[in-house]
Amino acid sequence: MSQDISRGAAGGSLGRLARRPESGAFLGLVVVYIIFAVLGGKVFLGAPGWSSWLNMAAEVGIIALPVGLLMIAGELDISVGSVLPASSLTVAILSGHYDLPLWIGVAGGLGVGLAVGLVNGLLVTRTTIPSLIITIGTMFAVMGLTLGLTILIAGSTGVFVVPDALTKSVFGAAFGGMFQIGILWWAGFVLIVLALLHVSPWGNWVFAIGGDRDSARNAGIPVARVTIQLYMMSGFAAAFVGVTQVVTFGSAQVAAGSSFIFNSIMCVVIGGVSLTGGAGSVIGILFGTMTFCIVNQGIFYSGLDPNVGSIIIGALLLLAVLSNDKFRAIALSYAAKKK
Amino acid sequence: MEMVHTAPVLELQSVDKSFGPIDVLHGISLKVHAGEVLCLLGDNGAGKSTLIKTLAGVHQPTRGKILMDGAEVSFATPRDAAERGIATVHQFGGTFPLMSIGRSFFVGVEPTKGWGPFRIFDRKKANDIAVKAVRDFGITRIDDGDRLVGGLSGGERQSLAIARAVHFGARVLILDEPTAALGVKQAAHVLRIINEAKRRGLAVIFITHQVMHAMAVGDHFAVLIRGAIAADFRRGEKTREEITDLMAGGETMADLEASIDAQERRHA
């Protein structure tokens, strides 16, 4: 057959770009930044503006990374919202109430996150209940346990802890009085997750599980093990943010953390991760987190009514989902129509 | 023919399969040799998919034997069957639409470079091998391993899945209605791929209800009706009309025609 129409790699730059799941997220980031740069003026463009949205982005971003991996694998994790205060309070109770060394408190807090992740992972892989429902269940269970145990042990819903200088500098330092050290931790997490998802063979398994669970299993991928690992990562990440919060503020509150549930999911979706799983990228999640936080903090600098901010975030989310679908369609049809 | 002397790669001997009180397959005996295409024809509900699942290790026969190379085997799981070289390719290629060609080709067996915890997915190697494997099957339009599987045509996706199975050492290729959802040109593509697999010495079981497609590549034909083999014949032994009649209702259809003919003669 003489059907060999050979095409050079040059033919595909548009398709190549559209195929990258972060393209839409990057466009959104640029547009949103320009809008708020105009509205927010010099203060928003300067260090105070950058520090305010970067500090927020660091916290939600650390959680959004593993939540994004879970969504790529076709699962959700709602429980991060209660793991965060559970971890903070574990640190505060162990090291504040019981006066144990702070490293024991930190280890305990992170351990709580890993344990909740393990329970989530086991429940998701051993039952046929959707992970949305399972993690809503574990969220309420952890919330109830945290509240009950805190009142039982400490007799109050807020517990104080005085971090030592070393721990404070590792988890709670601030540069120039504005930029929190969490930003560096976030950068570190981004690099690790980037390597895991896009460079290691394990990342391919995450995409395969989200693409078609049965085919992935038939191809020999340990689907249950990977799923449990992913839940333990998100539990760990939420607990890590809980640790940085308690070290930074010197106290832990039972009620903290619920805003992270939707915020992390929104960062991930704005970042171009497919709602049905199987597609997404770490750079996309990074852009999505930045976009979300620029809007969130930019409202404050722009002098707009804060309620307008909610409307903008809602609209942004819808736009993101629409443009994600559009970009995906371009990525697929580009290849199909080049006959 | 020389293959008469060698044992069939895969053989079923009087296999029955029932689910509780419901008998789905009765007395199925089939064999397929290396370098041969066995076409399994049957209308919807004839038991084709149960038969495929029995061959692929999803179901175990209630009675009867499965033999490979003349020796009895039993598959507890689809993995067992896959490890023995039985590969099933489903109607839509069964792959991951949003993954690249290279990544989906190597799902679960990713090539890596580096060592220890620094082993990384070797994208270039994966892409090169995947593209070469599918081009060797004559699909020369695929030249970029980074393209998404979902962007390929139905025929290309089938071809990719078949090339993947062959690359990973399949000896028996079970193709479940590979041409059913395809246009004429795409179907011709897939039929060429089937011929190529046959030329390479694979045993191919081609499940279809399109008689034309079966006749284009088949060496051996079996018609499945209500869970039993209603006819078993080789290439050239039956015409297209005869096969269609068989599929539509087996001998009863011929009987019906005969009785109609007789009636017409009486009234003539």
Side-chain angles (χ1 to χ4, degrees):
Chain A
M1 289 284 133
S2 60
Q3 258 186 314
D4 189 355
I5 308 160
S6 71
R7 292 189 313 275
S13 59
L14 177 68
R16 223 169 265 276
L17 205 65
R19 218 182 290 148
R20 303 201 68 89
E22 57 268 15
S23 303
F26 183 69
L27 279 179
L29 175 64
V30 170
V31 169
V32 161
Y33 191 79
I34 291 172
I35 290 173
F36 283 99
V38 171
L39 292 176
K42 276 208 174 71
V43 191
F44 181 72
L45 288 170
W50 276 79
S51 72
S52 78
W53 66 261
L54 272 176
N55 286 341
M56 182 194 184
E59 288 195 336
V60 67
I62 287 173
I63 298 177
L65 288 167
V67 166
L69 293 195
L70 274 168
M71 288 177 67
I72 292 172
E75 305 289 359
L76 284 170
D77 188 358
I78 303 298
S79 70
V80 289
S82 68
V83 168
L84 192 149
S87 155
S88 297
L89 279 157
T90 305
V91 178
I93 287 172
L94 287 177
S95 304
H97 186 76
Y98 288 119
D99 263 335
L100 294 168
L102 200 59
W103 67 266
I104 294 182
V106 170
L110 296 177
V112 166
L114 290 173
V116 175
L118 178 65
V119 170
N120 280 333
L122 287 173
L123 287 173
V124 168
T125 51
R126 303 251 168 118
T127 67
T128 53
I129 306 168
S131 60
L132 173 71
I133 303 300
I134 285 177
T135 56
I136 287 178
T138 51
M139 179 193 71
F140 278 105
V142 171
M143 200 185 271
L145 275 172
T146 309
L147 185 61
L149 287 174
T150 305
I151 291 176
L152 193 71
I153 296 169
S156 138
T157 55
V159 184
F160 294 91
V161 62
V162 183
D164 57 75
L166 175 69
T167 316
K168 178 91 182 169
S169 66
V170 172
F171 294 112
F175 304 101
M178 285 188 272
F179 293 92
Q180 275 158 18
I181 196 168
I183 298 167
L184 292 183
W185 282 107
W186 178 38
F189 278 105
V190 167
L191 290 178
I192 292 170
V193 176
L194 190 77
L196 281 175
L197 186 66
H198 297 297
V199 182
S200 84
W202 181 86
N204 214 31
W205 300 358
V206 174
F207 283 110
I209 291 171
D212 182 348
R213 190 166 297 267
D214 289 329
S215 298
R217 193 175 289 119
N218 287 341
I221 293 171
V223 174
R225 200 176 77 205
V226 173
T227 307
I228 292 170
Q229 286 167 345
L230 289 169
Y231 274 105
M232 289 181 73
M233 284 169 69
S234 71
F236 180 86
F240 186 90
V241 175
V243 168
T244 61
Q245 284 194 348
V246 74
V247 171
T248 308
F249 303 124
S251 73
Q253 297 291 328
V254 170
S258 53
S259 67
F260 284 88
I261 301 169
F262 284 121
N263 290 0
S264 63
I265 294 174
M266 279 194 277
C267 291
V268 169
V269 173
I270 293 172
V273 172
S274 164
L275 286 170
T276 48
S281 77
V282 173
I283 299 296
I285 298 170
L286 177 72
F287 289 156
T289 307
M290 288 160 77
T291 309
F292 176 78
C293 295
I294 286 169
V295 175
N296 214 297
Q297 299 297 307
I299 293 294
F300 174 75
Y301 290 92
S302 65
L304 291 173
D305 186 326
N307 295 323
V308 176
S310 300
I311 297 172
I312 294 179
I313 288 173
L316 199 64
L317 188 72
L318 293 181
L319 262 176
V321 174
L322 282 174
S323 76
N324 289 349
D325 288 350
K326 188 72 197 157
F327 271 97
R328 211 149 285 142
I330 293 171
L332 293 178
S333 70
Y334 143 75
K337 68 171 176 260
K338 293 208 74 174
K339 294 243 154 125
Chain B
M1 257 202 260
E2 71 282 357
M3 60 180 64
V4 175
H5 303 292
T6 54
V9 178
L10 185 67
E11 181 175 5
L12 295 188
Q13 286 182 355
S14 325
V15 165
D16 294 350
K17 177 66 193 173
S18 37
F19 296 98
I22 302 158
D23 292 329
V24 182
L25 300 175
H26 351 259
I28 304 284
S29 294
L30 284 174
K31 46 179 98 167
V32 57
H33 288 88
E36 189 183 61
V37 178
L38 166 67
C39 295
L40 210 54
L41 297 150
D43 210 348
N44 296 336
K48 285 178 298 183
S49 55
T50 306
L51 183 54
I52 298 163
K53 286 180 177 163
T54 308
L55 291 169
V58 178
H59 300 318
Q60 286 68 49
T62 311
R63 275 173 297 275
K65 287 189 208 168
I66 301 179
L67 293 88
M68 282 193 83
D69 305 310
E72 190 173 349
V73 290
S74 72
F75 308 131
T77 64
R79 272 316 273 291
D80 285 354
E83 273 161 22
R84 292 230 176 217
I86 296 179
T88 312
V89 173
H90 295 286
Q91 192 174 339
F92 298 104
T95 40
F96 310 97
L98 292 171
M99 280 174 99
S100 72
I101 290 169
R103 280 182 174 266
S104 71
F105 195 88
F106 282 99
V107 152
V109 283
E110 292 80 5
T112 56
K113 54 187 179 187
W115 51 270
F118 303 106
R119 278 185 314 123
I120 64 170
F121 175 70
D122 193 340
R123 174 174 143 267
K124 188 178 179 313
K125 185 173 170 191
N127 286 357
D128 289 350
I129 294 174
V131 167
K132 183 175 185 311
V134 68
R135 287 178 72 94
D136 284 351
F137 266 96
I139 305 296
T140 46
R141 278 181 35 210
I142 293 179
D143 55 9
D144 177 2
D146 279 330
R147 268 171 67 176
L148 300 184
V149 171
L152 304 179
S153 69
E156 286 168 341
R157 286 172 74 166
Q158 285 288 334
S159 309
L160 180 65
I162 294 171
R164 180 179 194 272
V166 172
H167 179 82
F168 289 106
R171 299 181 60 217
V172 181
L173 208 51
I174 302 173
L175 306 175
D176 183 7
E177 302 269 8
T179 57
L182 303 180
V184 178
K185 233 171 131 180
Q186 293 288 327
H189 244 37
V190 172
L191 294 175
R192 256 204 317 275
I193 301 280
I194 293 174
N195 263 333
E196 174 63 19
K198 168 181 157 178
R199 197 188 62 76
R200 295 193 191 187
L202 272 87
V204 181
I205 300 176
F206 176 26
I207 291 100
T208 183
H209 60 254
Q210 279 145 313
V211 180
M212 285 284 278
H213 294 167
M215 291 187 77
V217 292
D219 299 298
H220 192 161
F221 303 82
V223 179
L224 203 60
I225 294 177
R226 288 187 297 276
I229 304 271
D232 187 341
F233 49 93
R234 300 198 67 83
R235 172 187 276 278
E237 288 175 4
K238 285 205 189 327
T239 64
R240 188 183 153 202
E241 288 71 25
E242 286 172 317
I243 301 173
T244 312
D245 282 354
L246 273 168
M247 282 172 65
E251 303 296 353
T252 52
M253 193 76 166
D255 291 350
L256 188 65
E257 267 174 26
S259 74
I260 291 170
D261 279 355
Q263 212 175 2
E264 277 175 354
R265 250 178 274 120
R266 268 203 305 281
H267 288 276

